[in-house]
């Protein structure tokens, strides 16, 4: 406690340096492997050289089939946003209901466990067959993927509301709407954010795979095209982009969650 | 005169084999200040929950104004042991939650005045916009008490409301509570472990036998003249007799358990 308080400046560089060590080590290994030609991989320098032109025309549209990487990323993020948004709209009320009503919990729990246990991508053929549209099918998969963690964590949040809050609501004979607004929703928010973090993480992983399978324009299709053209350099760059975007999404939710008022210690 | 609150042959079990309270018969009259003493785990809090309507008797019946208690209500307000303040609301908003629900006929200005006044009574004016996490344990207890007093309940049920307070704050709040309850004619049932507090505030002190299956051991009628204050009660000849009685009771029970 005191050490961090006394010398924040001295500790700061170390704090920033530590997370950089594994990537540096990996980079070294990568360079070694390519320099000694053990594996058939493009060297770090080759990949770096690719980045310039790629990011230079990130937001250009040369032809419908040649769209900048920035736009592709936006397409993918857009799909996640729509699917995830719909999952929030359905999942939060459903989770609250399951949390509050034992009957709803009894009714929905087994089905949700069932849906949860199925790989999200297994829903893709169902989506494609029933919606006849690869775009909608991808959204459908994201929706299903995001729904379960949101519902389950929201319900868990309601279940973990301290008994005292319910007693208070009972003693004051608060109307249901007040209990919902003033007690249930604020008390559930931390768990909801946990659910959102999990959902968004999985959704981002799944959209790449879904785009690879459906060929819908986006970062996933970009990966697939790079693979079909055996352009391993582009493949590596896109993997890095996907990873960094995932971290950014996670940080976004974490920042949001931090801005919420803290529980009484 | 019928009692405001009444226990008739009340028994409370949480499971078939564990009896918490048994054979409780008690009448509490309007305006009375009743204090419950007894060893930890003897069912004092359960007795309070029965009065509040948060728990139901397993057999027998609790009555409020001659009507069986079947549910909680703000006329029997509880000050919870763990304060039960909502962490996302500040002091004012926590009190307003109760005031807005109960004082439905008051104008917004009147409600604000009620809240201001009670915040002043518990000396939290400087902390009115702070959240519970920013307050000390004692301050949180004061907010809990303020929230209960603000709605002027008929009955106030207090579960060790001053346990987290330092001596100076405790005396000040005890006197404020005594004054407000007398002024508003509030009937109080309070749990405490503090003998001096029991003697200062009570009209009657109810001693509960150690659990399981606690029942009423005996009742001390507090003969100290009113109005009382912390300094003067110790000068009264009856004070030491009652104090000794209580101490002996608590000590004896310690030996049993």
């Amino acid at each position: 406690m005191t050490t961090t308080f006394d010398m924040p400046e001295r500790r700061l560089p170390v704090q920033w340096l530590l997370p950089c060590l594994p990537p540096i080590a990996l980079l070294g290994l990568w360079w070694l492997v390519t320099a000694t030609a053990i594996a058939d991989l493009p060297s770090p320098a080759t990949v770096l050289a690719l980045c310039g032109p790629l990011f230079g025309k990130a937001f250009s549209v040369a032809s419908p089939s040649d769209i900048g990487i920035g736009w592709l990323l936006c397409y993918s993020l857009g799909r996640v946003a729509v699917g995830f948004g719909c999952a929030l709209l359905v999942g939060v009320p459903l989770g609250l209901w399951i949390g509050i009503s034992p009957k709803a919990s009894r009714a929905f729990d087994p089905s949700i466990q069932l849906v949860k246990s199925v790989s999200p991508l297994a829903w893709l053929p169902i989506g494609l067959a029933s919606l006849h549209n690869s775009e909608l099918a991808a959204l459908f998969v994201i929706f299903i993927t995001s729904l379960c963690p949101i519902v389950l964590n929201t319900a868990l949040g309601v279940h973990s509301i301290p008994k005292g809050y319910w007693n208070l609501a009972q003693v004051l004979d608060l109307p249901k709407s007040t209990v919902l607004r003033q007690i249930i929703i604020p008390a559930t928010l931390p768990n909801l954010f946990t659910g959102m973090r999990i959902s968004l993480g999985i959704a981002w992983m799944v959209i790449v795979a879904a785009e690879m399978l459906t060929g819908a324009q986006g970062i996933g299709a970009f990966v697939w095209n790079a693979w079909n053209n055996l352009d391993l350099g582009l493949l590596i760059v896109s993997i890095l982009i996907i990873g960094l975007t995932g971290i950014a999404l996670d940080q976004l939710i974490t920042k949001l969650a931090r801005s919420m008022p803290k529980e009484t210690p | 005169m019928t009692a405001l609150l009444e226990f008739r042959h009340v028994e409370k079990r949480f499971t078939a084999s564990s009896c918490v309270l048994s054979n409780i018969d008690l009448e509490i009259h309007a305006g009375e200040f009743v204090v419950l003493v007894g060893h930890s785990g003897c069912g004092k809090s359960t007795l309070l929950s029965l009065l509040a309507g948060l728990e139901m008797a397993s057999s027998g019946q609790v009555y409020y104004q001659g009507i069986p208690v079947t549910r909680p209500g703000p006329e029997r307000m509880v000050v919870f042991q763990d304060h039960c303040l909502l962490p996302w609301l500040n002091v004012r908003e926590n009190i307003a939650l109760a005031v807005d629900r109960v004082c439905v006929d008051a104008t917004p200005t009147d409600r604000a005045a009620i809240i201001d006044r009670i915040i002043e009574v518990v000396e939290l004016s400087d902390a009115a916009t702070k959240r519970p996490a920013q307050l000390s344990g004692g301050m949180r207890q004061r907010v809990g008490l303020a929230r209960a007093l603000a709605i002027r309940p008929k009955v106030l049920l207090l579960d060790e409301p001053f346990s987290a307070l330092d001596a100076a704050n405790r005396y000040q709040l005890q006197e404020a509570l005594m004054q407000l309850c007398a002024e508003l004619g509030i009937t109080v049932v309070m749990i405490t472990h503090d003998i001096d507090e029991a003697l200062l505030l009570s009209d009657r002190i109810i001693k509960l036998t150690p659990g399981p299956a606690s029942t009423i051991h005996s009742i001390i009628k507090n003969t100290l003249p009113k109005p009382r204050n912390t300094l003067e009660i110790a000068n009264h000849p009856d004070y030491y007799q009652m104090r000794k009685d209580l101490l002996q009771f608590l000590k004896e029970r310690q030996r049993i358990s």
Side-chain angles (χ1 to χ4, degrees):
Chain A
M1 185 85 187
T2 42
T3 45
T4 48
F5 207 76
D6 289 341
M7 345 178 256
E9 291 91 344
R10 262 192 63 192
R11 291 179 64 98
L12 209 56
V14 178
Q15 294 293 341
W16 284 101
L17 202 65
L18 285 175
C20 300
L21 291 180
I24 290 171
L26 200 66
L27 207 65
L29 189 69
W30 178 15
W31 176 81
L32 199 72
V33 164
T34 49
T36 53
I38 292 172
D40 195 8
L41 277 178
S43 71
T46 323
V47 171
L48 194 67
L50 277 174
C51 289
L54 192 66
F55 294 137
K57 54 179 182 121
F59 290 98
S60 71
V61 183
S63 71
S65 59
D66 184 13
I67 295 172
I69 185 99
W71 282 124
L72 292 179
L73 197 61
C74 288
Y75 285 140
S76 299
L77 283 171
R79 282 187 197 108
V80 167
V82 173
F84 179 73
C86 291
L88 267 184
L89 286 178
V90 176
V92 173
L94 186 62
L96 289 174
W97 189 32
I98 289 174
I100 295 164
S101 151
K103 277 184 188 153
S105 167
R106 184 113 188 99
F108 285 101
D109 253 352
S111 312
I112 290 169
Q113 296 300 340
L114 186 100
V115 173
K116 201 183 92 176
S117 322
V118 177
S119 162
L121 282 174
W123 297 102
L124 191 62
I126 303 271
L128 283 171
S130 57
L131 299 165
H132 306 293
N133 180 324
S134 63
E135 186 66 43
L136 285 178
L139 290 179
F140 169 72
V141 170
I142 294 301
F143 171 76
I144 294 275
T145 307
S146 309
L147 192 63
C148 289
I150 290 174
V151 171
L152 290 173
N153 280 282
T154 307
L156 178 71
V158 179
H159 282 142
S160 359
I161 295 177
K163 186 153 193 302
Y165 296 174
W166 297 116
N167 284 346
L168 178 71
Q170 273 191 292
V171 168
L172 288 175
D173 197 16
L174 294 174
K176 283 205 173 84
S177 61
T178 311
V179 177
L180 190 68
R181 269 185 304 112
Q182 303 274 31
I183 297 178
I184 296 175
I185 290 178
T188 309
L189 272 182
N191 284 82
L192 174 59
F193 277 116
T194 308
M196 283 166 66
R197 251 183 94 179
I198 298 170
S199 284
L200 208 54
I202 306 175
W204 184 239
M205 289 200 281
V206 167
I207 192 64
V208 173
E211 284 169 354
M212 284 168 80
L213 289 171
T214 60
Q217 255 172 353
I219 192 79
F222 184 81
V223 170
W224 195 240
N225 289 336
W227 163 243
N228 282 333
N229 300 333
L230 278 178
D231 196 337
L232 292 180
L234 276 185
L235 210 53
I236 291 170
V237 176
S238 43
I239 284 171
L240 285 174
I241 293 172
I242 291 167
L244 291 172
T245 311
I247 294 176
L249 286 175
D250 194 68
Q251 286 296 312
L252 185 77
I253 302 279
T254 310
K255 284 264 155 58
L256 257 174
R258 286 228 182 97
S259 65
M260 297 292 139
K262 295 272 186 301
E263 291 275 335
T264 320
Chain B
M1 179 172 149
T2 60
L4 184 69
L5 294 162
E6 194 181 348
F7 283 83
R8 238 181 261 166
H9 317 306
V10 169
E11 186 180 271
K12 178 67 186 175
R13 300 169 173 278
F14 284 111
T15 61
S17 58
S18 79
C19 185
V20 185
L21 293 167
S22 82
N23 207 14
I24 303 279
D25 278 284
L26 179 66
E27 288 190 358
I28 297 166
H29 293 283
E32 231 185 336
F33 201 123
V34 172
V35 168
L36 300 172
V37 294
H39 195 263
S40 306
C42 77
K44 301 185 295 286
S45 293
T46 309
L47 206 142
L48 220 59
S49 296
L50 289 168
L51 280 173
L54 290 167
E55 298 279 356
M56 291 300 133
S58 309
S59 70
Q61 187 67 58
V62 180
Y63 297 88
Y64 169 68
Q65 292 182 328
I67 300 158
V69 169
T70 54
R71 50 175 301 197
E75 74 285 348
R76 282 165 286 125
M77 183 63 188
V78 187
V79 176
F80 301 94
Q81 202 170 11
D82 52 358
H83 346 297
C84 273
L85 304 176
L86 300 179
W88 41 87
L89 301 181
N90 67 29
V91 169
R92 252 200 104 76
E93 291 162 339
N94 262 295
I95 300 172
L97 187 71
V99 171
D100 288 344
R101 169 68 191 93
V102 177
C103 311
V104 277
D105 298 329
T107 63
T109 344
D110 288 343
R111 287 182 207 173
I114 291 171
I115 298 168
D116 283 336
R117 185 168 160 241
I118 202 70
I119 287 179
E120 230 167 85
V121 169
V122 297
E123 297 195 336
L124 281 174
S125 303
D126 296 334
T129 54
K130 286 190 178 159
R131 292 237 171 90
Q134 299 166 275
L135 305 178
S136 68
M139 286 162 104
R140 283 183 220 151
Q141 278 195 330
R142 284 190 266 164
V143 181
L145 186 68
R147 179 176 59 191
L149 284 169
I151 60 173
R152 303 188 170 195
K154 285 273 194 312
V155 179
L156 192 58
L157 305 168
L158 306 165
D159 197 345
E160 297 186 44
F162 304 131
S163 59
L165 295 173
D166 60 70
N169 272 314
R170 185 155 57 221
Y171 295 144
Q172 182 256 323
L173 264 187
Q174 283 168 344
E175 287 182 7
L177 174 71
M178 202 162 39
Q179 208 180 339
L180 266 172
C181 290
E183 192 181 303
L184 302 170
I186 299 175
T187 309
V188 185
V189 182
M190 170 164 138
I191 295 172
T192 185
H193 282 119
D194 181 338
I195 292 176
D196 289 313
E197 181 170 279
L199 289 170
L200 174 70
L201 298 173
S202 69
D203 294 314
R204 281 191 297 161
I205 301 168
I206 293 167
K207 298 185 276 188
L208 288 176
T209 61
S214 301
T215 189
I216 294 171
H217 173 276
S218 59
I219 298 175
I220 298 179
K221 193 158 168 43
N222 188 344
T223 50
L224 298 175
K226 289 185 183 178
R228 299 172 192 150
N229 79 49
T230 321
L231 282 175
E232 284 167 16
I233 53 166
N235 296 329
H236 196 273
D238 292 351
Y239 178 78
Y240 286 99
Q241 184 53 46
M242 289 190 284
R243 196 169 197 282
K244 202 178 135 200
D245 180 343
L246 277 171
L247 261 176
Q248 212 158 25
F249 168 71
L250 290 171
K251 250 189 130 173
E252 255 171 45
R253 290 185 331 85
Q254 241 173 21
R255 212 176 50 223
I256 298 164
S257 55

